[in-house]
Amino acid sequence: MVINDEFKEALRQILWQFRAPIRYAFAYGSGVFPQTASPPSLSSSKLHPKPSAAISNVQGGQGKMIDFIFGVSYTQHWHSLNLQQHPDHYSAVRYAGSYAVSRIQDTWGACVYFNPFVTVNGTLIKYGVVNLDTLCRDLSEWDTLYLAGRLHKPVKILRDDARVRLANQVNLLSAVRTALLLLPSTFTEQDLYSTIAGISYLGDVRMSFPTENQNKVANIVTNQLANFRRLYGPLIETLPNISFTDPRTSQPDWIQDHKINALMAQDMDPVKRGNMVRRLPKVFRGKLYFAYQSKFQIPHLGFKKMLEAANDEDPTRVKRKQGGEFERRVAGDEPESLRKEVRKVIKKTIRWPSVSQTLKGIVTGGVTNAWRYVSEKIAKYREGKKRTETRERAQNENGKEAKSGKPIPEVNRAEKNDL
């Protein structure tokens, strides 16, 4: 992702304040990639005690907390070292020691331990700690989609790891394939990116309550369109069943042109779509298979034999996995029915990890920080709702004026970017 060097260095300097070894790290969220073009409020501009000039410049004075994920090799060892250096980052759980902290991390929720609202290098941050094995498993198999979903969207990788990089390529390809199962034969690139960005929010418990801006996905895609193009463009070129059909994409600088919403198409050939189903992440694919076993009323024994016959999970295998009769039957289901089943599996995958991770945050972050976090989320929800209502009123008024023959005032540019 394109990000200025001074800001990237400021983020890396934050990592250097941790003596515990961080093997892989990325920064994400609205503190790194703006999701709206709205002006900063006075209260938010004072969020960071003493931020670097680079962070202040990029955030435009908004002072948004910066979110990090740290990938570590040995959970208990990492927390043992970090508890010695930064005991104030932890809630009262710290008194139980590193073993208890690591057990809470690795056995509860999505296996991520968050320390929110901590100040490092004069900057307010939240960081989540995850074992590298857990991270790679979620990226390649989608067992929770908790971190895989975050990496479907633009992030800034600050420390890379070859194993995670490979697993994330699988994750991004899986995101495109899943989105194609949810989309018609022709669509726009914003439809594609919005579908991908929305995967991780489908089963997120926070979206069921007034704690998340309901325009969140639209804001992310609209304000990060160029970064989505850089992230998924090379992958789209490698896939045989999706392509750009818009001649404007041949222009040299089209990636930076936010006015273009390129047209796209996918090949609805049942064999290719069957292969796409077969290449979905292992755990996620298994849930989809069982959903269709029930729908097609396939006897358990026959279904088991069919899966065993189609098993080609050999890691040494070079040839790409091919879909069989069952996969083609799944892919050939009525489009709306297929979308419904895929959405159900996504929600089933995300729901429980999301609920348990939210409850876990009360323990790991402490009651005070948990309330502060919820309060800020509610404020964002209300802000987004207010913008939506303002936009709808303006559209209704414009519609009335159009009918009456009155001139229609131009919409504020910042408001457009917040759609």
Side-chain angles (χ1 to χ4, degrees):
M1 298 301 99
V2 173
I3 186 170
N4 76 60
D5 291 336
E6 292 81 7
F7 184 46
K8 181 168 66 176
E9 183 58 30
L11 297 177
R12 284 179 171 161
Q13 285 300 316
I14 290 174
L15 300 186
W16 286 112
Q17 305 310 308
F18 292 85
R19 288 200 292 267
I22 299 169
R23 286 276 306 277
Y24 177 83
F26 66 86
Y28 66 100
S30 59
V32 181
F33 298 99
Q35 293 176 9
T36 68
S38 57
S41 63
L42 287 175
S43 58
S44 65
S45 65
K46 299 176 182 177
L47 192 68
H48 300 305
K50 194 178 179 182
S52 69
I55 290 175
S56 295
N57 290 338
V58 167
Q59 294 194 345
Q62 294 189 53
K64 293 187 176 181
M65 181 168 66
I66 297 178
D67 297 336
F68 293 86
I69 291 293
F70 297 162
V72 305
S73 298
Y74 304 101
T75 306
Q76 185 178 350
H77 176 64
W78 196 91
H79 284 295
S80 176
L81 294 175
N82 201 47
L83 279 165
Q84 293 177 34
Q85 184 187 9
H86 299 298
D88 56 311
H89 289 187
Y90 293 79
S91 66
V93 175
R94 67 181 181 272
Y95 296 114
S98 61
Y99 176 76
V101 171
S102 64
R103 291 295 294 170
I104 290 172
Q105 174 180 318
D106 292 333
T107 63
W108 193 356
C111 301
V112 185
Y113 192 103
F114 280 103
N115 282 327
F117 300 107
V118 299
T119 301
V120 180
N121 264 17
T123 304
L124 192 71
I125 71 167
K126 176 182 75 176
Y127 63 92
V129 183
V130 62
N131 187 279
L132 283 176
D133 292 337
T134 300
L135 175 58
C136 289
R137 184 172 62 251
D138 193 37
L139 292 174
S140 59
E141 299 185 8
W142 283 16
D143 54 349
T144 70
L145 264 169
Y146 192 82
L147 292 174
R150 279 165 171 73
L151 284 161
H152 288 166
K153 298 171 277 290
V155 303
K156 181 54 201 171
I157 297 172
L158 303 171
R159 284 188 191 167
D160 208 355
D161 177 87
R163 187 160 63 107
V164 178
R165 190 189 318 124
L166 180 61
N168 195 41
Q169 287 297 104
V170 173
N171 176 45
L172 296 176
L173 280 169
S174 299
V176 174
R177 288 172 178 142
T178 302
L180 291 178
L181 293 175
L182 296 170
L183 289 167
S185 58
T186 58
F187 47 91
T188 68
E189 59 172 338
Q190 287 207 19
D191 292 334
L192 175 65
Y193 303 144
S194 295
T195 303
I196 290 173
I199 288 174
S200 61
Y201 295 114
L202 270 179
D204 192 334
V205 66
R206 297 172 302 174
M207 301 303 288
S208 303
F209 300 99
T211 54
E212 283 290 352
N213 186 340
Q214 298 301 303
N215 299 318
K216 192 178 183 79
V217 172
N219 287 341
I220 291 171
V221 174
T222 301
N223 289 280
Q224 298 302 322
L225 184 57
N227 284 330
F228 272 97
R229 287 168 174 166
R230 293 187 185 94
L231 187 61
Y232 288 100
L235 297 177
I236 290 170
E237 290 179 2
T238 68
L239 292 173
N241 57 329
I242 178 176
S243 60
F244 287 100
T245 59
D246 197 317
R248 292 174 297 177
T249 59
S250 61
Q251 297 174 8
D253 300 324
W254 81 275
I255 288 179
Q256 296 291 345
D257 191 342
H258 285 72
K259 295 179 182 177
I260 294 177
N261 184 16
L263 300 175
M264 304 185 72
Q266 63 167 315
D267 191 338
M268 303 300 281
D269 175 70
V271 173
K272 290 183 179 179
R273 285 176 69 78
N275 291 341
M276 193 165 63
V277 169
R278 181 64 188 86
R279 293 164 189 167
L280 292 173
K282 181 180 178 181
V283 174
F284 180 83
R285 184 181 72 238
K287 293 174 184 175
L288 184 63
Y289 281 4
F290 280 111
Y292 270 95
Q293 178 202 5
S294 176
K295 181 173 181 177
F296 294 156
Q297 297 182 333
I298 302 174
H300 177 72
L301 185 59
F303 182 70
K304 186 177 180 181
K305 287 181 178 179
M306 181 185 67
L307 291 184
E308 288 175 352
N311 183 23
D312 55 358
E313 296 293 341
D314 183 358
T316 63
R317 182 187 175 108
V318 176
K319 188 178 179 181
R320 301 174 78 182
K321 292 173 282 191
Q322 302 296 309
E325 181 182 350
F326 177 71
E327 286 83 7
R328 289 193 290 273
R329 191 177 174 189
V330 170
D333 193 12
E334 289 293 327
E336 192 52 46
S337 177
L338 177 59
R339 292 181 196 119
K340 182 180 178 181
E341 293 298 335
V342 172
R343 286 193 186 99
K344 282 167 62 177
V345 172
I346 293 172
K347 290 177 181 178
K348 185 177 180 180
T349 300
I350 294 171
R351 178 69 65 179
W352 175 242
S354 171
V355 170
S356 53
Q357 190 69 39
T358 299
L359 295 174
K360 177 179 175 179
I362 300 174
V363 176
T364 60
V367 175
T368 302
N369 282 336
W371 176 248
R372 180 180 178 184
Y373 177 80
V374 170
S375 298
E376 291 186 0
K377 287 292 184 180
I378 291 174
K380 287 184 179 179
Y381 169 83
R382 290 174 176 168
E383 182 184 356
K385 186 177 180 181
K386 184 178 178 181
R387 285 202 188 103
T388 301
E389 291 172 349
T390 302
R391 184 172 67 247
E392 288 175 350
R393 281 198 302 270
Q395 289 172 345
N396 290 335
E397 290 173 3
N398 289 343
K400 292 177 182 177
E401 289 176 355
K403 288 181 180 179
S404 65
K406 293 180 181 179
I408 300 173
E410 192 172 330
V411 179
N412 181 275
R413 183 175 179 81
E415 245 180 61
K416 281 184 181 178
N417 289 334
D418 287 341
L419 299 186

